[in-house]
Amino acid sequence: MTASAYRPFAVSNKDRIVGFFVIGSLFIFLLGFIIPMVRDLADDDSINFYTRLDQTYGIAPNAIVSLKGVNVGAVQTVVLSDDGSVRVGIALSDAYAQFYTSDLTLVIDSEIGVNSILNGSGLLLQPGSSPGRPLVDGAYIEA
């Protein structure tokens, strides 16, 4: 036992428990930011395409691009081009590359629903009646 009751740097078990709780909480909080960043790095397996629109129609970056109701990609960029049209860059998953053919067209998803309220307008890929030739990375898709 010490002669003084006051010990400024003495660590009790209660202090250790609070410290472990704080460090653990901080670690879990940081993982919440790191895991999505790692997933984004893994999503680099995509094929990039673009289209041109006369106006944005509410299309914004990260808008969903779907094919027959399945989300296959997202809008990457929405910029004005030199000729005054809107250039929309999209990245589509390479897992569905066999469906990306020259007869494919893009349609603006104008259906009112929960998705459109939360995410804004999206794009729908519509395959043509006859199978076309496969599209290469960076190709233009008619809208």
Side-chain angles (χ1 to χ4, degrees):
M1 187 156 184
T2 62
S4 171
Y6 178 70
R7 297 183 310 171
F9 296 111
V11 179
S12 68
N13 285 336
K14 186 164 97 175
D15 294 332
R16 286 187 183 95
I17 291 171
V18 170
F20 286 132
F21 178 75
V22 169
I23 290 172
S25 298
L26 184 63
F27 180 71
I28 291 171
F29 181 74
L30 288 176
L31 278 179
F33 287 109
I34 293 172
I35 290 174
M37 289 172 50
V38 171
R39 284 187 186 154
D40 288 343
L41 291 175
D43 288 342
D44 286 343
D45 298 334
S46 62
I47 304 170
N48 296 314
F49 299 105
Y50 76 96
T51 191
R52 294 192 184 275
L53 303 172
D54 55 346
Q55 62 180 12
T56 63
Y57 298 103
I59 302 295
N62 297 324
I64 295 171
V65 179
S66 61
L67 175 66
K68 297 186 178 184
V70 176
N71 294 344
V72 294
V75 173
Q76 297 295 311
T77 59
V78 178
V79 294
L80 279 173
S81 60
D82 293 336
D83 62 353
S85 64
V86 177
R87 186 178 195 278
V88 179
I90 58 174
L92 302 178
S93 172
D94 65 346
Y96 303 107
Q98 70 270 20
F99 298 111
Y100 311 146
T101 57
S102 59
D103 65 333
L104 202 62
T105 57
L106 278 167
V107 177
I108 292 147
D109 185 10
S110 60
E111 183 178 319
I112 302 290
V114 175
N115 261 353
S116 64
I117 292 170
L118 294 176
N119 300 328
S121 296
L123 293 171
L124 302 173
L125 289 169
Q126 291 185 338
S129 58
S130 62
R133 64 185 187 285
L135 290 175
V136 296
D137 192 19
Y140 172 76
I141 298 177
E142 187 68 35

